Amino acid sequence: MRRRSSLLARVAGAILLTTASIGAAAMLLSDHIVEGQRHQDLLHRAELVAATQADALSGPVWELDTRSAERMIEALTVRDPAIRSIAVFETDRDEPLAMTSSGEVGDGAGRITVERPIVLHGREGRVQTVGHLRIVYSTAEVRQATLNALVPVAGLLLLSLLGAMVALGLTLNRMVLRPLRRLTQLASAMARGDYSARMDARRIDEIGMLADGFNRMAATVQDHTSTLESRVRERTEALAATNRAIMDSINYAQLIQSAILPSADALSAGLTEHFVLWRPRDVVSGDFYVCREVADGFVVAVADCTGHGVPGAFMTMTASAMLNNALDQMGADDPAAVLAAVDRKVRAALHQEGKARSGTDCFDNGLDLGLCHIRPAEGRLVFAGARVPLLMVTGGEVTELRGDRRSLGYRPTTFVPTTEDAESPFTNHSVALRPGQTFLIGTDGLVDQNGGERGRSFGRIRLRQLLSRGGEGPLDRLKSELESSLDQFQGGREQRDDITLFGFRVRLTDAAAVSGAGSDRRAA
């Protein structure tokens, strides 16, 4: 993420850099000019002193008065600190007649050397050169004088540049940066949803044009947003009304579907104990269960129709009507024949007698069904299943009667006889009833529900373990254990399919209970 920087700080830095550059250039130029002037002044002074002193030394040099010459040049050295050395020479002699130095000849400063002839003026107007004078001046005072002269200039220049920088910064902040900050704040407010933000657009410069463009953009966005919100609100209200109507219809359909399920009295008529674990994936279910009396006992059945929700509920109404019609016509003595009849009736009702010949005939629906005919007087239960098993818990041992590997109502993959006299493709299983024996019949929604850490299915092994531990206890407690285990296993995952599990124990007559205690399972 890029770090934000202040525009004011960047402008101030640019102004400061420009000011410092201009100040430095001005100081360098001033230094060069002032130092040149001071150097010329020193040179002029040196020449004037040399000329004056040469006239004064003409007498001592003519008379070769070394002592007087030394006193004169020493006095001159004391009066003028810039002098580094003075030497007096006779004509045609390299050795000086008199010489003095300040002791700072090697101080590293620049030097100015001035030489003048020493001329003696006679009484008769005759002029004679008797020697020459050499004076060496140091330029150190030139540099110091230059610095002393530049200090007030530098201070004045610095104050002037600082004042100009402050004035320029304040003007730039008021005229440019402050409106830009305001524009940034208003843009942030618009990003948060406040589309009423506006800028002062009374200025006639570029900032005014920018403010006017921003205000027109904000007004356009506000108008479009208001229109969009109004449309969304209208659509939301319409969708909510439609959803309420749909949910009202589905909830009423749920009441109709519940009406075809057996009542509590019907369940208690021939069963000592029972429970129904019924969990539709949606409001209405594609599963249904049946418990009804017949001539020599009663029937318990569980069905799993194609689909779930509303399509599955439509299938349950069709399949339930076909099952009850078959039981009314044929009775329940032969559950396998009843399954075959339901197969034919559903296929005929849905026009699925033949193979699909085109894409428009791809509609293919049916159901899985498990049917138990219970004969309490005989102490016997006959079961036939179409992909639905029957679980029995006897003495803590779980036994499974598998249904045939064929569903009901779907389009046939090969030719299947559709007459009622045709042999049933389903198998009857006869079980001798025992006191305390627990039966469970259900759809695959429970065992196929995924969950756990790895998202695997609940599974038949887990179900068998739960039934083995609690299958002989009260069925209400067994239902609670099953629900608790399912909820814990499923966790926060969605339910995949409708779940139906019907558990029951049969109420036997005294004679059937005595005869069933010594009997075992046998084929019908």
Side-chain angles (χ1 to χ4, degrees):
M1 181 178 179
R2 296 183 61 184
R3 185 178 179 182
R4 292 184 178 180
S5 61
S6 171
L7 181 60
L8 179 60
R10 285 185 288 173
V11 171
I15 294 176
L16 181 60
L17 181 60
T18 304
T19 302
S21 301
I22 295 174
M27 289 299 298
L28 290 174
L29 181 60
S30 299
D31 178 76
H32 179 72
I33 294 173
V34 172
E35 186 173 6
Q37 292 176 349
R38 297 298 180 185
H39 192 277
Q40 289 297 324
D41 292 342
L42 179 62
L43 181 60
H44 179 70
R45 188 181 80 185
E47 290 177 348
L48 181 62
V49 169
T52 304
Q53 197 66 23
D55 289 341
L57 286 170
S58 59
V61 173
W62 173 254
E63 297 174 358
L64 299 177
D65 188 355
T66 304
R67 185 172 296 179
S68 297
E70 287 180 351
R71 285 199 301 269
M72 292 178 65
I73 61 178
E74 286 177 358
L76 180 61
T77 304
V78 173
R79 289 196 305 269
D80 194 346
I83 296 176
R84 289 293 174 261
S85 66
I86 301 176
V88 180
F89 297 89
E90 295 179 74
T91 303
D92 299 330
R93 299 215 36 195
D94 295 332
E95 293 294 328
L97 177 65
M99 182 176 179
T100 184
S101 62
S102 65
E104 300 177 359
V105 178
D107 59 1
R111 297 287 186 268
I112 295 177
T113 303
V114 179
E115 292 189 7
R116 285 287 182 273
I118 300 174
V119 180
L120 178 65
H121 297 274
R123 293 179 180 179
E124 298 178 356
R126 192 174 63 177
V127 178
Q128 182 181 356
T129 301
V130 295
H132 68 274
L133 174 66
R134 180 186 297 166
I135 303 176
V136 178
Y137 271 80
S138 172
T139 60
E141 72 169 24
V142 173
R143 189 61 191 164
Q144 185 61 40
T146 301
L147 293 177
N148 293 338
L150 288 180
V151 167
V153 176
L156 181 61
L157 179 61
L158 179 61
L159 290 177
S160 300
L161 291 177
L162 287 177
M165 184 179 68
V166 171
L168 181 60
L170 292 177
T171 303
L172 183 64
N173 180 62
R174 184 178 64 84
M175 299 186 66
V176 178
L177 300 181
R178 188 183 300 170
L180 289 180
R181 282 198 299 269
R182 176 60 178 165
L183 180 62
T184 302
Q185 294 171 356
L186 295 179
S188 300
M190 285 188 62
R192 294 192 298 269
D194 182 10
Y195 303 113
S196 62
R198 297 292 185 273
M199 280 193 71
D200 183 6
R202 290 176 295 179
R203 293 174 56 172
I204 58 175
D205 54 8
E206 290 81 357
I207 297 295
M209 295 174 60
L210 179 62
D212 182 66
F214 175 83
N215 291 341
R216 285 188 280 107
M217 180 191 69
T220 302
V221 172
Q222 185 177 21
D223 180 63
H224 289 177
T225 302
S226 300
T227 303
L228 181 62
E229 289 178 350
S230 176
R231 291 179 180 177
V232 169
R233 186 164 48 252
E234 293 174 358
R235 299 288 176 83
T236 302
E237 292 174 355
L239 289 175
T242 303
N243 184 67
R244 284 194 299 270
I246 293 174
M247 290 307 300
D248 289 343
S249 298
I250 293 176
N251 289 329
Y252 196 79
Q254 194 268 340
L255 295 176
I256 297 174
Q257 186 180 48
S258 298
I260 70 170
L261 300 177
S263 64
D265 294 338
L267 292 172
S268 301
L271 305 176
T272 56
E273 290 184 79
H274 68 274
F275 75 86
V276 179
L277 177 58
W278 195 56
R279 290 187 177 183
R281 201 198 77 161
D282 303 310
V283 179
V284 289
S285 175
D287 293 354
F288 72 94
Y289 57 94
V290 174
C291 183
R292 56 170 286 184
E293 293 186 10
V294 291
D296 52 351
F298 56 95
V299 169
V300 171
V302 170
D304 180 4
C305 299
T306 302
H308 37 71
V310 174
F314 272 100
M315 280 298 301
T316 62
M317 303 300 291
T318 301
S320 176
M322 299 304 171
L323 175 59
N324 285 306
N325 179 261
L327 291 174
D328 291 338
Q329 292 181 354
M330 303 173 56
D333 292 340
D334 188 352
V338 174
L339 295 186
V342 173
D343 182 34
R344 293 191 300 271
K345 291 177 181 292
V346 171
R347 190 178 294 113
L350 300 180
H351 305 288
Q352 298 177 162
E353 293 90 345
K355 293 183 180 180
R357 294 184 298 273
S358 64
T360 58
D361 294 336
C362 62
F363 178 83
D364 193 15
N365 292 280
L367 69 151
D368 299 336
L369 176 63
L371 180 66
C372 297
H373 179 209
I374 303 170
R375 305 169 186 172
E378 301 178 10
R380 185 156 300 279
L381 178 148
V382 181
F383 166 76
R387 292 187 179 274
V388 174
L390 175 67
L391 298 175
M392 300 180 297
V393 183
T394 307
E397 180 180 355
V398 180
T399 307
E400 179 179 357
L401 294 181
R402 293 183 177 273
D404 293 289
R405 298 179 61 83
R406 174 173 177 163
S407 299
L408 308 180
Y410 292 97
R411 293 183 183 275
T413 56
T414 58
F415 175 74
V416 177
T418 58
T419 61
E420 296 184 3
D421 297 333
E423 183 178 356
S424 172
F426 300 98
T427 306
N428 287 326
H429 303 270
S430 180
V431 179
L433 299 176
R434 300 179 181 178
Q437 197 172 25
T438 303
F439 297 92
L440 299 103
I441 184 171
T443 62
D444 57 4
L446 174 60
V447 295
D448 289 346
Q449 176 61 47
N450 60 323
E453 295 181 357
R454 300 183 179 180
R456 296 180 177 179
S457 61
F458 190 84
R460 299 182 183 277
I461 297 177
R462 194 187 309 271
L463 177 60
R464 283 173 172 267
Q465 291 174 348
L466 291 171
L467 297 180
S468 178
R469 289 197 302 266
E472 294 186 320
L475 294 189
D476 289 342
R477 185 175 65 189
L478 177 60
K479 177 184 178 182
S480 299
E481 292 175 355
L482 289 171
E483 289 178 329
S484 176
S485 179
L486 175 60
D487 292 338
Q488 183 178 1
F489 177 79
Q490 182 177 349
R493 299 178 185 271
E494 294 184 356
Q495 185 173 326
R496 292 183 57 180
D497 197 1
D498 300 315
I499 296 175
T500 304
L501 183 64
F502 194 148
F504 61 92
R505 290 180 182 147
V506 181
R507 180 181 294 110
L508 298 175
T509 62
D510 295 339
V514 172
S515 62
S519 63
D520 196 3
R521 169 185 163 193
R522 60 185 176 82

